[in-house]
Each structure stands twice: as structure tokens, then as C-alpha cells.
Amino acid sequence: MEIILRADVQHLGKIGEVVKVKDGYARNYLLPQGLAYPATEANKKKITYEGERLSKQQAAEKSAAETEAARLADVHLTFEVKVGEEEKLYGSVTSSDIQRKLAELGIQVDKRKIDLAEPIRELGEYHVGIKIHPDVRPEVRVWVVKE
């Protein structure tokens, strides 16, 4: 079945592309989720208009994300934590902790957008990425020091 994508679908294509997929995948997932249209002439015209509108919207979102990224690039967070023998932390610094510190500075970020693979469990300086936009990923400097 040929479909036109309404949104970017990982491993399939970008918005506005006409792709061929199995009938069940289109019928059971892509169409009900609103991720695609059947590839008819009327829908091709509709997606062209929608694609132009979305490209303008994405450009505006990217410029807003770049200004936010410039603000985040200057942010330095310091966590004073208790440590035991051999400089081991009691507990860890998690993405929730980073989110709370950013909120104290007036920067609202969802904790799921903080790119921290695993909690920080050692003293030192870390660079933590923030997923603001697919093309814009600023880093925040995080220092973990003794209390």
C-alpha cells in the first residue's frame, strides 16, 4: 500500500514522502495514529499544503530552540553532595535533580529531555545534553563537589 507520511516516522521516512508499506502496518498503525494518509491525488495536494505550513512551524520552533540553547549554554550547575570513603557519593545526581536546579534558575525542562544515560555517582565535572529540538542539543555543565 502506498501512503503519504504526515509526520517523520523513524526507519520509514520524513514528512511528505510517499512510501510503500505493508497493508497491515498502514491499516493498523500508521493511519489510526494519524501518521499517514492513503496516497490519493486529493491527499497529495493536501499534504503539500500541510508540508509548507509545517516547515514554517518547524523553522519557528528551531529558532526558538536556538535562543533557548544559547541561554542554556551559559548555565553551570553545582551539586554539593555527601561523600564517603574513596570519594563515593551517598546516592547519585539524577535527571530529576538537574531539572529541579534548572527550575530554580527559571528554566523549565522536562526531565525526559535531559540526556543523562545513567545517574552521576562520582565527583567531577560533567557535560549533560538537553534535547530541546532534534537539530539543537545544548549542553549544561554540571559540577558534583563535596559538601
Side-chain angles (χ1 to χ4, degrees), residues 101-115:
K101 281 274 193 184
L102 288 171
E104 289 174 10
L105 297 174
I107 301 170
Q108 298 301 321
V109 176
D110 186 14
K111 73 177 182 179
R112 292 172 293 213
K113 295 189 181 232
I114 297 173
D115 192 17

Side-chain angles (χ1 to χ4, degrees), residues 53-92:
R53 183 184 58 79
L54 281 174
S55 65
K56 289 178 186 176
Q57 180 183 353
Q58 287 175 347
E61 287 175 359
K62 185 175 179 181
S63 66
E66 287 172 347
T67 57
E68 184 73 16
R71 196 169 86 161
L72 279 170
D74 298 331
V75 172
H76 307 287
L77 303 176
T78 304
F79 290 92
E80 294 182 4
V81 295
K82 293 183 180 181
V83 294
E85 292 181 23
E86 301 175 13
E87 303 295 315
K88 297 271 186 172
L89 268 63
Y90 290 125
S92 60

